[in-house]
């Protein structure tokens, strides 16, 4: 919490309770959120004559388009325009990297739900009704829907990647003990509360302004400009807030924004593209599902001696961000553990399903799931407690701090976190109590697991680690703050505002944070990789410091003191013996012709990475955490309940403990959903069958553990020079939920007194739990 002691001893001046960084302030839009006053894109007033855009979609997973007759669509009531590939003035591409995501299919479709054409009509109902009149003739082509089918067809987005340190094959051959296993990990839909949406308004000279629900306004701007064949400066993209993003709006908002912009420019009328929930789920990518196979060597003490890990992911029909996502899965396949000799091979498979994309954790959760399954398997094979096995394999000690990608772990706090959480949650006593319960309970079984998290913070694509900000001080003492980060509910805006408030020592009420907009801060990176505050907060601080330096020089000159005698305090600016209220300072500075506006810029230091060899320092630092989860399963039905969870998380010196605790809880629950209830099912012909809340189950308030103890690690402090020594907290907490999957696995194993290791995939749905229970019983009977 912020220090509330007065910072001035001036007689007659009331003490000011100052709350800058480290204060638990509410989200800047909290009141608007709960009262419904927060404005999202679909809440904006609709311009007169606005058109509604609906995208016609492919019904085939892979096919040649023999013909597409849209005459009936154009003739339908209310239709103003129908646009397809040949109507694009620029490039038919809305991809982030490889130029393989088309705005409209041209000659071939590569997944069900691919955009074929856009209908612009006077109502969304008219647009949808018209789109249904399209006559598309296909010629089916071979389709690979599953990872296995893509493997068999040799369908990849790039060659397999290898990351290694030491000789894993030799280490495995010499290992005292050795075992092999596998794990399948399902995908996950982002299920943001606000779906994809864009509202485009045409301007003069071919300009267009687009409100978009996107995590990456600059990329949307650049792609729209490419589609329209205009300079970037002709396109302005704006976003005030999103109703959730989770990675699903990092790249895939561009499709809808570009379609709306194209309609607006072609017709001269405003246009809105807003798919409904079913359309959104069918048309947009998910978290990558993975298949993992491991070959691990270890000793009788549970210490790993060698590991060969093979990862394969379903990338979907186009590249999107799959290369970087799969890279990060490799980066995090060590989690908190030192692997003496390791080889990680990653297969990136192209399938004829919607292209998978960024999702909170960006591949890291899948890599961590694999190594945590290894730890569980080694623990059962040795008969040791899983927590003890994890602790024995942690980074730390002579020669045990080098990752598989050759970055030295310099900030390892995992041992302290695990030890502290194990003590605070009474792990050992509860484990004994659960063993006793399971011995007497033939139907209901409990499981307990405590797992750590180490998550690298930075974009692994080095050039993305930069940010800009813009600050205006007005003559009345109010402050306008703009930066390249986007607000999706995570509390970025209030944190950056706190940083600026701290810099000027003013009440945060003075600061107005404006929409993220491309005509104020250009060429921004996505708000992703948990780096939003690290990057934009530091850029804003640099802008504030530029203005502060001008004000210090001015104040020293005006009030006749040395610059060293000028200080910003919550009571006002102290200049020698004078105390000047902040608003008076701003007025005087304006009258004194001092510039009260500045830009700020920040680029993350120290990082570098050679993708060809998969070596370097891709991460500025690591965020850590630990979670202990207790579950109860019904062995007759497979039903499961998380009854208690204890979490200790390292946020460094938290900029806002209230916001950070909210992110930790939300991330953990979202991770629970991924690992236990959220199941994506595709038909054999590539159709998504779980495309609505009726068939796809996200966690609800009833799934939250009845006992959920959250705490920030009080000793936390970033060893690197981040803004106020804080640590990122957006993505790392999601992986705390791996403790739930391990606990479920342990509960299933207890059915046979831990003599047989379960073959339990994720998500651990009731069906999978029940099948795993029956399989364990069967295998135990044959032992």
């Amino acid at each position: 919490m912020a220090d509330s002691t007065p910072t001035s001893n001036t007689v007659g001046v009331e003490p000011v309770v100052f709350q800058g960084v480290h204060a638990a302030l509410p989200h800047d839009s909290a009141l608007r959120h709960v009262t419904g006053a927060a404005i999202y894109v679909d809440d904006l007033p609709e311009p007169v004559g606005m058109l509604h855009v609906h995208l016609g979609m492919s019904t085939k997973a892979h096919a040649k388009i023999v013909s597409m007759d849209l005459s009936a669509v154009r003739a339908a009531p209310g239709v103003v325009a129908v646009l397809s590939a040949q109507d694009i003035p620029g490039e038919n591409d809305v991809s982030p990297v490889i130029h393989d995501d088309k705005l409209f299919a041209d000659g071939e479709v590569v997944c069900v739900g691919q955009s074929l054409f856009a209908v612009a009509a006077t109502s969304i109902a008219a647009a949808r009704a018209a789109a249904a009149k399209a006559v598309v003739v296909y010629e089916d082509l071979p389709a690979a829907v599953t990872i296995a089918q893509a493997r068999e067809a040799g369908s990849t987005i790039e060659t397999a990647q290898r990351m290694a340190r030491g000789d894993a094959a030799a280490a495995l051959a010499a290992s005292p003990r050795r075992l092999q296993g596998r794990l399948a990990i399902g995908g996950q839909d982002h299920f943001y509360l606000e779906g994809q949406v864009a509202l485009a308004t045409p301007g003069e000279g071919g300009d267009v302004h687009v409100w978009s629900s996107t995590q990456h306004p600059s990329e949307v701007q650049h792609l729209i400009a490419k589609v329209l064949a205009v300079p970037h400066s002709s396109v302005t993209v704006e976003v005030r807030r999103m109703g959730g993003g989770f990675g699903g709006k990092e790249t895939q908002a561009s499709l809808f924004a570009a379609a709306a912009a194209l309609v607006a420019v072609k017709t001269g009328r405003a246009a809105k593209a807003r798919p409904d929930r079913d359309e959104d789920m069918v048309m947009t990518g998910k978290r990558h599902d993975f298949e993992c196979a491991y070959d691990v060597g270890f000793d009788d003490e549970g210490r790993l001696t060698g590991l060969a890990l093979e990862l394969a992911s379903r990338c979907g029909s186009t590249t999107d961000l799959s290369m970087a996502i799969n890279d990060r899965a490799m980066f995090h396949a060590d989690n908190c553990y030192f692997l003496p000799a390791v080889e990680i091979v990653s297969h990136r498979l192209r399938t004829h399903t919607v292209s998978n994309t960024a999702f909170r954790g960006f591949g890291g959760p899948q890599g961590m799931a694999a190594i945590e399954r290894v730890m569980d398997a080694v623990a059962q094979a040795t008969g040791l407690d899983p927590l003890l096995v994890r602790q024995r394999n942690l980074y730390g000690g002579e020669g045990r701090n080098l990752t598989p990608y050759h970055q030295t772990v310099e900030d390892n706090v995992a041992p302290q976190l695990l030890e502290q959480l194990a003590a605070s949650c009474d792990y050992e006593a509860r484990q004994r109590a659960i063993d006793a319960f399971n011995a007497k309970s033939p139907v209901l079984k409990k499981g307990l697991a405590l797992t750590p998290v180490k998550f690298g913070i930075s974009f692994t694509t080095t050039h993305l680690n930069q940010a800009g900000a813009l600050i205006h001080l007005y003559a009345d003492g109010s402050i306008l703050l703009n930066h390249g980060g986007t607000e999706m509910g995570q509390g970025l805006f209030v944190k950056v505002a706190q940083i600026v408030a701290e810099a000027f020592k003013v009440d945060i009420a003075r600061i107005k944070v404006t929409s993220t907009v491309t005509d104020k801060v250009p060429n921004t990176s996505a708000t992703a990789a948990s780096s939003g505050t690290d990057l934009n907060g530091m850029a804003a601080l640099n802008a504030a410091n530029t203005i502060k330096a001008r004000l210090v020089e001015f104040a020293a000159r005006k009030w006749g003191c040395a610059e060293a005698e000028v200080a910003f305090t919550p009571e006002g600016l102290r200049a020698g013996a004078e105390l000047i209220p902040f608003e008076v300072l701003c007025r005087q500075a304006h009258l004194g012709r001092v510039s009260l506006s500045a830009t700020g810029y920040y680029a993350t230091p120290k990082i570098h990475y050679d993708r060809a060899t998969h070596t370097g320092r891709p991460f500025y630092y690591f965020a850590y955490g630990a979670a202990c989860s207790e579950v109860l399963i019904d062995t007759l039905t497979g039903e499961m309940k998380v009854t208690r969870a204890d979490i200790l998380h390292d946020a460094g010196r938290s900029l806002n403990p209230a916001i950070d605790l909210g992110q930790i809880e939300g991330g953990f629950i979202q991770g629970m959903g991924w690992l236990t209830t959220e199941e994506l099912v595709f038909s054999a012909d590539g159709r998504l069958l779980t495309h609505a809340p009726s068939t796809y189950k996200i966690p609800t308030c009833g799934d939250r553990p009845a006992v959920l103890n959250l705490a920030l690690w009080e000793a936390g402090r970033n060893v690197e020079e981040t803004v106020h020594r804080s640590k990122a907290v957006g993505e790392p907490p999601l992986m705390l939920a791996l403790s739930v999957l391990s606990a479920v696995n342990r509960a299933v194993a207890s059915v046979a007194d831990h003599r047989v290791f379960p073959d339990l995939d994720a998500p651990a749905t009731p069906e999978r739990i029940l099948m795993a229970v029956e399989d364990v019983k069967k295998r135990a009977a044959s032992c």
Side-chain angles (χ1 to χ4, degrees), residues 348-364:
R348 294 95 192 271
L349 298 162
R350 186 188 301 275
T351 55
H352 295 103
T353 51
V354 64
S355 191
N356 285 326
T357 191
F359 202 124
R360 196 175 193 172
F362 204 78

Side-chain angles (χ1 to χ4, degrees), residues 273-288:
R274 185 184 64 80
D276 66 17
R277 179 65 62 181
D278 295 76
E279 294 160 352
D280 192 315
M281 292 184 73
V282 168
M283 298 185 77
T284 61
K286 324 296 178 191
R287 184 188 295 281
H288 291 61

Side-chain angles (χ1 to χ4, degrees), residues 718-740:
N718 203 329
V719 299
E720 299 296 345
E721 294 183 8
T722 55
V723 61
H724 295 287
R725 300 289 181 170
S726 61
K727 283 190 176 184
V729 76
E731 292 172 291
L734 184 134
M735 285 143 280
L736 296 168
L738 290 167
S739 58
V740 173

